[in-house]
Amino acid sequence: MLAEAMTVLAAAGGSAVVQAAGTDAWEGLRSRLAQWFGRGDAARERGELERLERSAAELEAADTGTADRVRTRQEAVWTTRIEALLEDLDDDEQRTQAADQLRQLLEEAAPADELGLVSGNTFNGPTAFQAGNHNRQDVRFGPQP
């Protein structure tokens, strides 16, 4: 099981994919995220680029009646893919390094202010993560102590 901070980071990555698709931030995010997933394997990187493009196309094709459902599904897909990659890494050092790289690429390729994301809040007690784009808000609560 991933550390809580890595789960939150994976959720931020999934949200960033959905928020960036179709914006000026998309090219930077998609190429950097594909490199991160590829971990030096060019074939895997190409596969991730194709997955990211399919996600962007699905988000773009969604009509107003299905847009929220498609965004929610795509966010969950990418959150899960990021979590899976982090879980599959051999040791805590590799996992921490990959998480740091992901955090940095999210900040550089798609800064929160560019995507219109708002995140924050400090909690003393059960942990919560809140992210939104001024129109939609997702709140996730971590495990109880």
Side-chain angles (χ1 to χ4, degrees):
M1 180 172 210
L2 286 179
E4 191 174 315
M6 290 191 195
T7 302
V8 169
L9 181 62
S15 180
V17 168
V18 170
Q19 295 296 322
T23 70
D24 292 339
W26 178 243
E27 285 303 314
L29 178 67
R30 81 179 251 297
S31 63
R32 300 268 321 267
L33 194 56
Q35 288 173 349
W36 182 80
F37 271 108
R39 320 283 319 143
D41 180 337
R44 186 171 177 186
E45 184 177 331
R46 282 191 303 277
E48 294 302 328
L49 282 170
E50 290 172 10
R51 282 184 186 90
L52 285 160
E53 285 305 316
R54 284 193 304 267
S55 290
E58 188 174 329
L59 287 161
E60 186 177 328
D63 60 32
T64 53
T66 62
D68 284 342
R69 188 180 65 220
V70 171
R71 279 193 299 271
T72 300
R73 189 175 74 72
Q74 286 298 323
E75 186 174 333
V77 164
W78 287 101
T79 297
T80 302
R81 289 187 61 70
I82 292 167
E83 286 175 345
L85 184 143
L86 291 170
E87 286 176 345
D88 288 346
L89 293 173
D90 293 333
D91 60 43
D92 288 338
E93 186 176 330
Q94 285 181 336
R95 205 170 287 117
T96 299
Q97 182 181 14
D100 289 343
Q101 291 168 346
L102 178 60
R103 187 176 299 106
Q104 182 177 1
L105 87 81
L106 290 174
E107 290 171 1
E108 291 174 1
D113 60 333
E114 188 174 312
L115 294 175
L117 292 176
V118 177
S119 71
N121 297 340
T122 302
F123 294 87
N124 296 320
T127 304
F129 176 76
Q130 180 176 351
N133 67 358
H134 301 290
N135 289 324
R136 180 174 151 227
Q137 177 177 308
D138 296 314
V139 180
R140 292 183 176 81
F141 293 92
Q144 299 293 323

